[in-house]
Structure formats: structure tokens, C-alpha cells
Amino acid sequence: MPAPPAAEPGRAAPGEEDRVIETRGLTKVYRGGRPAVDGLDLAVPRGSVFGFLGPNGSGKTTTIRMLMGLIEPTAGTARVLGRPMPGAARQVLPAVGALIEGPALYGFLSGRDNLRRFDAADPAADPRTRTARVGRALERVGLAAAAGKKARSYSLGMKQRLGLAAALLQPRALLVLDEPTNGLDPQGMREIRALVRELAADGTTVFLSSHLLDEIEQVCTHAAVMARGRLVTQGPVAGLTDAVFGPGGRGRLAVATPDPGEALRVLAEHGLTGLRADGEHVTGELAPPEGAPPPDVAELNAALVRAGVRVRAFGTERASLEDAFVRLTGEGFDVAG
Amino acid sequence: MSRAEAGPTAAAAAAAGPAVAGGPRWPAGLVRSEIALTFRRWRTRVLLAVLAAVPVLVGIAVRIQSGRAGGGADGRGPAFLAQIAGNGLFLVFTALAVTLPVFLPMAVGVIAGDAVAGEAHTGTLRYLLVAPAGRTRLLVAKFAAVAVFCLAGTLAVALSALATGAVLFPLGRITLLDGSTLPLGAGLLRALAVAAVVALSLLGVAALGLFVSTLTDSGIAAMATTVGLVITAQILDGIPQLQALGPYLFPHHWLSFADLLRQPVYWDGMAQNLGLQAVYAAVCGSAAWARFTTRDITA
């Protein structure tokens, strides 16, 4: 493995000042094992909602721990908010809210006292505004009514909300959320997604790891995919599926018709591949052969109608991030890398 | 945030973040939070209750004994036991002499051993560190809270003993070890000084427990190890063949607090005791700092 470039504070690539997180050759090797994170070059743009994907054991949490200064990298450098970590933890972390590997609370303290405790640990937090800030954070995550209860009696979803509230005690430039919707019911998940969008709209960069791909697809502007400690790809979410499946090759055509046989014939004539008929439901890949322009969906519809195919429904199904993910990592989720 | 060309200059530092503190801050807020946290744990309250119960038991036993035999103890048993029936204030000294070898250091070992490892076990440690509490700052706050517990534990024994002694026995002028007497007020001051010395005697154990606590992510293991070390040190100190080792063991000079009950006070033993505690605190404190500030927090 080539030695990663040494940290040169003066060196700056164009646009570097717009990176909230930037790592170069970031590597972590736990004692006697293969690298948990191997030569990671991550770039998180300011203002993005950045999805961090990967199967279990692919190094996501190790990366987050290095970014937060909890563990020392074996090699490489990490910069958060433009400053080196873990060296500048004191200056960087007050502007960072984090939820790492699930919430951890003092069960014998109330929800409110848990937040007061974590706020007291932050030397940049003004104790005079503590009560007000704790109250606002509790309201923001919908826990105001349960704030006086002992955290021990909280459900997993409530603990998750309290963990989020701790990350929101101060206005933050960066939020690092590791599986934030874990343990939440669908209603809670929707609320968290709304909260993430709201925070992003306020200008907070959100770094979000999740194993729920449709969740990433719904809220994230950018994403990175990890597999076995290495970065497989990163970039805007829309570009990610393009990059994997090619432009225009991101979807399947879906037609509902009482004449599936005729529809298959017409679509095959127009160059669609992977055609399947399942009862009245006909689908085919819109991916064009190499070099050819993608078929015009409107033309396909007109052709079907001209051929006398009665069309009940007509539309395209986009390739999901999950399709891209499976293509990239060659494995489903919940598989240890 | 940092300007593109700016190195680690003051300008870049100034642009670091919206919520950055102006300068280094003393961990007063965190210390308060640590102390409050320690004393809100049931474990702490139970330990204090057990410590407070010891003088009550001793007092009742002496009361029953003196009522039956009419003459108090026969010279065996813990220090000052014979004097209790005559002056309840001596129950304070007896109770501290009884609890200092085992009960008090065990209680301190439990609190100190759990201080870091317990938070690592529940995962709250990582949230304190990303707050960011700062590793040195957190360790200082933890040590301060354990030191406060040393004082609280000692006071629990002393005040309980004073109350029990006042209820069960007469109070009055106390006769010191050298035969001179002091009025009750001066005697109470001596008792307070004894409690202070006993509390300081526990700082070595406190630092040792804190160091052990930085070695593991299991609060129970750290508590058990610390208490085990306390008992081992006591046993080693009691083996005559290992006399050479004795002066280096933290419990060796513990009972020198009795020298406060002489007129004039005999300081040598206490100076040796407090010096030894300071050495233990410095060595174990440095080891705890070296370990904690370089350690990967993976829990």
C-alpha cells in the first residue's frame, strides 16, 4: 500500500473550502486484523445531505469514530469543518452534533437531565441558556411531554429521539447521524426525515448513515458507498444510479394492458430488452444498446396505441439506489463484508 | 471554513466555527455535573448508607456490652473502643479506625473503578467526548468527583458516629492519648481534622481506581479489580516477612490519624501518609491520563 500523503495544512485543492468533511487515505487497522477502513478519500460538500452506505462491517462506524476523534487513524488524515481531526477536536466538535451507533443514556436520569448532562460536558455551551436550549431540543424531537420520565423507561424510539435532541442542543454546522431512524415506527421515521430536511434547509450539513436505502434516496443529495473498508463510489445521488447503469439506462418501462402478447412484440421491435409479461403487467428495460440513443418513451406509447394495444397504464420505474448498491457491492445489506 | 490558502494560522483558527469557545475553560461546570451524577446513582447512596450504618452497629454493640459488664471492653478490639462508653465522641475515632482499612477504600474503589469504565460500558463516554468534554478535562472532573466521594464517605461515617455517640453515651471533655484533656469544642475540631485526614488518605485508592477504570470497558471488572488491589495491599502490609514492602503500600500509614489525638500533635506519621497518597495520586493519575488520552474509544 502506498504511503498516504502527509497532511500539509497549506495545500488546498479548488473547492476544498466547501468540504465539510474531507479525508485522504484514511486507514484504520485494529490490532492484528485486516483494515477496517482502507485508504478512504471522502469528500462531503457543504450544505449537502450526505448518505453513507455500506453493508454491516464495511467500516462506516469506524470512519465516523475517526471523524469524531474517538479513535486514532492508523494512517491518512481527516479534516472536519476545515480543521484536522482528532487534533482540533476542541475547536471542531462544538459545531458538530453526533449520534453514533445508537443512543447511550443515563437510565437513572430523566430525559431532560440527560440533555443537561451532555450539555454540561461541552465547554462552549453557555450554562445560562441551558434550560431554554434543552427545552427547544426536546420539543424539536417531540419528547417534551416525556422529558421528566427516567430514560430507563423510554422505548428504543424515544431513546433515539433523545439522542437526536442531544445532537441538536446547539446550532450545528454539521450533524453526523448514524442510523438515526433505527427503532422508530414509520411515523417517527417520517418525522426524522422531515427534521433532517428542515435542518438541511437551515444550512446544516447532514452526514447520514443508514441501511435503509429508500430513506437515503428520499432525503440525501449526495451519497457514498463503502464495501469491505473501501470507498466504492461517491457523488450526487442522482448521478450515482446514472454512473452505475449509464445515462438513460436507469429505468424500466412498465405497461398495464389486457393485450400483453401484442405489447411484448411491439416493444421488442423498438429495441427494449429484458421484456417480461406477468399477467397484464409488461415490463422491459429501457437501457439502449451501446452507443444508441435511449428510446423515446412517448414514441413507445404511440407505437403501442397504433398497433391496437389497449393501454391501461404506462410509465417508467426508475432503477433504485438499492439496485445500484447491489450492483456496486455485489451483496445485499446485512451481510458482513 | 478555513480559507483555501490559510495554514494553521490565527486567521484560520478564528474562522473555525460558530460555537467555538474563546479560550481554555476550567472544568467547573463539568465537575458539578460529575458530582451530581455520582450522588444521584443508587449505588452511591447505598454505599453511603452502609458506611453510616457501621458506627450505629458499633455504638449499639458497645452500649449493650457496657450495660452488661459495666466496664466496657477489655483492651481488645479496634482502637479507642474502650473509651466510647465514657465519651461518645470516641465513637467517631473508633468508627473511622474500623472503616478505614476495608469499608471506606472498598466504597471508594467501587466509585472510582466505575467512573470511566462504567460510562464506556453504557456508551455515554463517546457522547461526552464528542460534546466535546475533552479527555483531560473529563478525567480531572472524574477525579474531583471521586475525591468528593472520599470526603462524603468519611463524613457519613463521622457524622453518623457523632450522632450515635451523642444519643447512646455521654459527651464531655475528652482525654487524649497522652493523658491531657480538651474541652468538647476542641475535641469536635480534632474529630473534624481526623475526618479530613482520613478523606485525604483515600486519595491514593481513588487515583488507583481511576487508572484501572481507564483500562477496561467493563465497570464491574474495574470495580472488582480496584477492590481486589485494596485487599491485596492490606494483606501484603500485614505479612511481617514483607516488612520492606510496607512503607510503599498505600494503606501502610493510614492509622496514623490517631496522632491527631495527642497534645502536641505528632505530625511525622501523617506527613508520611499524605506524602505517600500524593505519590500514588501523581503516579496513578499520570498513568490514567496517558492511557485515557491515547486510547481508542470503541464502546
Side-chain angles (χ1 to χ4, degrees), chain B residues 33 49 115 229:
Chain B
S33 171
L229 285 172

Side-chain angles (χ1 to χ4, degrees), chain B residues 167-191:
Chain B
V167 170
L168 296 181
F169 307 103
L171 289 177
R173 286 185 74 85
I174 71 164
T175 307
L176 298 180
L177 298 181
D178 56 294
S180 58
T181 65
L182 283 179
L184 183 60
L188 281 171
L189 277 182
R190 292 287 170 114

